[in-house]
Amino acid sequence: MPPAEYSEAQAADLLRRAARLQADRDDRRPTGLTLDEVKRAAEAAGIDAAFVDQAALGAHADTPPTPFIAGVQTSARRVRVVPGRVSDAEWGQMVAMLRRDLGGKGTAETIGQTREWRRNPLLFVLEPEGTHTRITATATWAGDVRALFYASLFYVAGALGFGAAWGLNGTEPMAVFAVLFTAMALVHALWLTFRLGPKGPRVEGKFDRALDAIEEIAGKEEREAVLAEAPELPDDPARIDPALLDDLPRLGAGAEAPERRRERS
């Protein structure tokens, strides 16, 4: 028998499983859900519709499939869209965060309204998208994967060739070369599998954390503006006048967030 009450984590897991079951069974709705329908479902689940609007900004980012070579991921890409434009002060904070969290100084530059931070093989690009800012993080290491893959094939072919020659002639130098080429093939294959194999998920995790931090920086000015406009608390925080709550800025589903104070240049 289902429990009478669920914790927030249990309720979220229950909704995910129910949505997955419905998606697997319901093939009669080719149009999917509209944004308003998603908002109503979120409100029914106790999620503010304003957060659905914010999440929808980057929901349809055109992220192409990641190419693979010999079963190894060769690149990573993440896209995030934040409201408004990024100011010079915020861009400076973002670059400092990227250098600290991703390591290395890197190169930061601004070309027109586009901002870039690059540290090979990582690249972050911020560019205007209407009144918002699109942030694209990319990295590629296809050259490394390709080089190791073809080097492994070369050493395997060499090991087979010298092994065949040793079998035919029985000379000791052929055996030595066969062993050396086999060892080199094994080293390259292990490096490809255990070093570059997990690199894709590792880089994508770094991108997700960096983009979360960038999004936090991008919204800092708005949070400070809201706090500055909020009424002061009384000396005794245990006794708060309920009338003060009426003066707090409302950021619910039916209200608009404060206009971003961004540089337009």
Side-chain angles (χ1 to χ4, degrees):
M1 182 176 180
E5 294 184 358
Y6 295 90
S7 67
E8 291 187 4
Q10 290 173 328
D13 181 65
L14 183 64
L15 289 173
R16 280 195 298 269
R17 291 189 300 177
R20 189 182 306 114
L21 289 172
Q22 177 174 327
D24 292 339
R25 187 179 61 180
D26 191 1
D27 296 329
R28 296 170 296 175
R29 187 173 182 140
T31 57
L33 297 176
T34 65
L35 182 59
D36 289 336
E37 289 173 329
V38 175
K39 287 182 180 180
R40 288 195 293 270
E43 289 176 337
I47 301 173
D48 195 326
F51 296 116
V52 178
D53 283 327
Q54 184 174 353
L57 286 174
H60 302 288
D62 50 341
T63 303
T66 300
F68 284 75
I69 296 177
V72 177
Q73 185 175 341
T74 60
S75 65
R77 186 172 187 265
R78 286 289 189 268
V79 178
R80 195 78 60 89
V81 179
V82 297
R85 300 290 179 83
V86 174
S87 67
D88 289 338
E90 289 174 337
W91 173 237
Q93 296 177 38
M94 292 175 185
V95 170
M97 179 277 300
L98 291 172
R99 289 173 173 172
R100 180 183 66 251
D101 293 354
L102 299 181
K105 184 177 181 180
T107 303
E109 61 179 330
T110 301
I111 306 173
Q113 296 184 346
T114 301
R115 305 175 189 268
E116 292 184 359
W117 182 81
R118 182 190 304 271
R119 183 184 67 76
N120 192 46
L122 311 178
L123 173 64
F124 284 76
V125 178
L126 284 70
E127 53 192 344
E129 186 176 87
T131 58
H132 306 303
T133 299
R134 171 183 287 260
I135 307 169
T136 305
T138 57
T140 180
W141 51 95
D144 296 337
V145 175
R146 193 176 294 110
L148 283 172
F149 175 66
Y150 289 123
S152 299
L153 292 181
F154 170 77
Y155 286 116
V156 168
L160 292 175
F162 285 116
W166 176 47
L168 292 175
N169 301 328
T171 57
E172 184 176 345
M174 294 297 103
V176 173
F177 281 117
V179 171
L180 289 176
F181 271 69
T182 300
M184 292 300 295
L186 183 60
V187 168
H188 282 73
L190 290 175
W191 187 270
L192 180 65
T193 302
F194 295 104
R195 180 63 179 175
L196 294 184
K199 187 171 184 176
R202 188 168 62 245
V203 172
E204 289 172 344
K206 289 182 178 180
F207 280 168
D208 290 335
R209 291 188 292 272
L211 290 172
D212 288 341
I214 287 176
E215 194 169 10
E216 183 76 12
I217 294 172
K220 185 177 180 180
E221 291 183 0
E222 284 64 41
R223 291 191 297 274
E224 291 178 347
V226 170
L227 290 175
E229 295 172 1
E232 295 184 0
L233 293 175
D235 294 334
D236 184 1
R239 297 180 179 180
I240 300 177
D241 187 354
L244 293 175
L245 300 177
D246 296 331
D247 297 329
L248 291 175
R250 297 183 179 274
L251 297 177
E256 295 183 357
E259 182 179 355
R260 299 208 60 165
R261 299 174 181 175
R262 301 287 189 203
E263 295 182 0
R264 299 294 177 180
S265 59

